Amino acid sequence: MSEAVSSSPGGNNKPFVALARPFAAEDEVALREALKRCSPSTFEAAVQFRKTGNPEHLPAVVIGVIERFVEPDLRVKLKDADDDLRLIEDLGIDSLTMMEIVILVEDVLQMSINNDELRNLRTVGDVKTFIDCKIRGLPLPKPTKFLPIEHLGAVMPIQPPFLFLNEASVSSTGANGKYKISGQEFFLQGHFKDNPVMPASIMLEALGQLAVLYLLEGAPVEPGKIIGSNTIFFTGCEGVRAHRVCKPGDILTLSIKLKRMKMPLATFEGTIRVGQEKAVIAEEITLTFGMVEAPAQPVADPSRRSVAGVSAPASPPFRAAINA
């Protein structure tokens, strides 16, 4: 029986060895029938996975199966391989369609998925990571957290008019965000005369802000500790390249991924796209940070009574609210 070796998620460089299951001619026929409405590349990736057990083929299978159930006019979004694509809001996948996807994935990959495990799958990246962890027998990661603009303003030390994130999501390995250049930004009045262009330095600032958000909301911390918002500062950036001029009306799609983190430094790689076009790439963005004591959680007062049958609890901390 053949074996497949690959690196496990998280960059720990520990080899993963998957034993390939026997794959007979009748299995290939059944697989072709199951994937008859998927692309040929999806079928080929599924065949290779079934023959070798190599998880590197899983992303192509997952994207291909999702594409099969997405409306034709929305499939172009999957071409970008954007892990931050939301299943419901961006791809129009409802709960019943999600069940169809799961049933087909179970059949193709010969695995079993519990319905309760699907509750936290909100993005394409969530689905790919979930299936990868299931195949490898690894613990499932924490679900992606989505933060609208009002929550960003509550948690970020940077505030408008110098906050260049309209929305964001944070996972265990990085963060994604969006910012629309409105044309009303104060610096566009002089950059440039009669030709407003988003400064590349500001786009780099936006990536740095996304990295700050990751440290505050996604980074692993010691028990009883948090990363202090007033301890995070920019220290360096390398390998920056600007590929596209960005102007009012453009929507910047920002992404940062953690490369390494050891107190007091965290280094990320970052990218900005406008649609399918690259705008800015930063090979390394490094921030310094410090740990502080986590604030004490409020203790409910048992003597408090509800008024007209409705209780009036104290407002929970932001982190507790978005983890709920």
Side-chain angles (χ1 to χ4, degrees), residues 12 36 96 98 108 116 121 133 149 153 178 188 216 230 292 308:
N12 57 18
K36 62 183 179 182
L96 290 178
M98 188 64 188
V108 169
D116 290 338
L121 303 184
C133 288
I149 183 62
K178 292 184 184 297
L188 291 182
L216 293 174
N230 62 349
V292 298

Side-chain angles (χ1 to χ4, degrees), residues 75-94:
R75 290 176 185 171
V76 65
K77 295 183 177 182
L78 288 168
K79 301 299 182 184
D80 293 338
D82 185 355
D83 285 355
D84 203 38
L85 279 174
R86 296 169 294 183
L87 299 174
I88 297 174
E89 295 88 344
D90 298 326
L91 298 177
I93 296 175
D94 57 27

Side-chain angles (χ1 to χ4, degrees), residues 54-72:
N54 189 340
E56 291 182 357
H57 299 293
L58 290 176
V61 176
V62 172
I63 291 296
V65 171
I66 292 176
E67 183 182 42
R68 149 76 175 83
F69 291 95
V70 171
E71 293 295 327

Side-chain angles (χ1 to χ4, degrees), residues 38-51:
C38 296
S39 67
S41 60
T42 305
F43 171 73
E44 290 300 327
V47 168
Q48 290 303 311
F49 174 76
R50 291 278 291 274
K51 286 182 176 180

Side-chain angles (χ1 to χ4, degrees), residues 246-260:
C246 296
K247 301 177 70 67
D250 286 341
I251 298 176
L252 308 182
T253 299
L254 306 98
S255 175
I256 59 102
K257 292 184 179 179
L258 181 66
K259 297 183 70 173
R260 54 187 176 272

Side-chain angles (χ1 to χ4, degrees), residues 138-153:
L138 298 174
L140 299 180
K142 293 181 180 180
T144 300
K145 297 184 293 186
F146 290 88
L147 290 76
I149 183 62
E150 57 269 20
H151 286 172
L152 293 174

Side-chain angles (χ1 to χ4, degrees), residues 35-319:
L35 295 174
K36 62 183 179 182
R37 295 184 180 178
C38 296
S39 67
S41 60
T42 305
F43 171 73
E44 290 300 327
V47 168
Q48 290 303 311
F49 174 76
R50 291 278 291 274
K51 286 182 176 180
T52 67
N54 189 340
E56 291 182 357
H57 299 293
L58 290 176
V61 176
V62 172
I63 291 296
V65 171
I66 292 176
E67 183 182 42
R68 149 76 175 83
F69 291 95
V70 171
E71 293 295 327
D73 60 325
L74 296 176
R75 290 176 185 171
V76 65
K77 295 183 177 182
L78 288 168
K79 301 299 182 184
D80 293 338
D82 185 355
D83 285 355
D84 203 38
L85 279 174
R86 296 169 294 183
L87 299 174
I88 297 174
E89 295 88 344
D90 298 326
L91 298 177
I93 296 175
D94 57 27
S95 57
L96 290 178
T97 304
M98 188 64 188
M99 287 306 304
E100 291 185 274
I101 292 173
V102 169
I103 291 171
L104 182 54
V105 167
E106 287 181 321
D107 185 27
V108 169
L109 301 182
Q110 307 249 299
M111 63 185 295
S112 178
I113 299 174
N114 190 308
N115 287 352
D116 290 338
E117 296 174 325
L118 304 177
R119 294 177 180 177
N120 293 321
L121 303 184
R122 299 180 180 179
T123 68
V124 171
D126 288 343
V127 175
K128 291 197 294 188
T129 301
F130 168 78
I131 291 175
D132 187 78
C133 288
K134 288 282 287 186
I135 291 293
R136 297 172 187 267
L138 298 174
L140 299 180
K142 293 181 180 180
T144 300
K145 297 184 293 186
F146 290 88
L147 290 76
I149 183 62
E150 57 269 20
H151 286 172
L152 293 174
V155 70
M156 288 287 286
I158 304 103
Q159 295 290 298
F162 213 71
L163 180 61
F164 303 111
L165 296 171
N166 296 139
E167 62 179 65
S169 62
V170 179
S171 70
S172 58
T173 58
N176 295 278
K178 292 184 184 297
Y179 180 74
K180 182 175 181 178
I181 305 173
S182 68
Q184 301 304 310
E185 290 83 359
F186 64 91
F187 45 79
L188 291 182
Q189 297 177 22
H191 195 275
F192 299 101
K193 181 181 179 181
D194 300 326
N195 182 29
V197 172
M198 186 76 163
S201 57
I202 296 293
M203 290 193 281
L204 186 60
E205 165 69 20
L207 286 174
Q209 292 181 6
L210 194 59
V212 170
L213 182 65
Y214 171 81
L215 290 177
L216 293 174
E217 294 298 323
V221 293
E222 303 172 13
K225 300 281 189 178
I226 62 171
I227 295 176
S229 61
N230 62 349
T231 70
I232 306 173
F233 297 98
F234 177 89
T235 63
C237 188
E238 297 182 11
V240 178
R241 296 185 299 280
H243 295 268
R244 183 189 191 278
V245 172
C246 296
K247 301 177 70 67
D250 286 341
I251 298 176
L252 308 182
T253 299
L254 306 98
S255 175
I256 59 102
K257 292 184 179 179
L258 181 66
K259 297 183 70 173
R260 54 187 176 272
M261 179 176 174
K262 185 175 182 180
M263 193 55 188
L265 298 174
T267 300
F268 305 83
E269 62 181 44
T271 60
I272 298 179
R273 291 182 290 106
V274 176
Q276 299 184 31
E277 297 180 309
K278 289 187 296 185
V280 172
I281 292 177
E283 294 178 0
E284 290 196 349
I285 299 173
T286 302
L287 305 179
T288 182
F289 66 93
M291 297 282 188
V292 298
E293 296 293 330
Q297 297 294 321
V299 179
D301 184 354
S303 65
R304 295 181 65 189
R305 295 184 179 181
S306 61
V307 179
V310 180
S311 60
S315 298
F318 174 71
R319 184 180 293 273

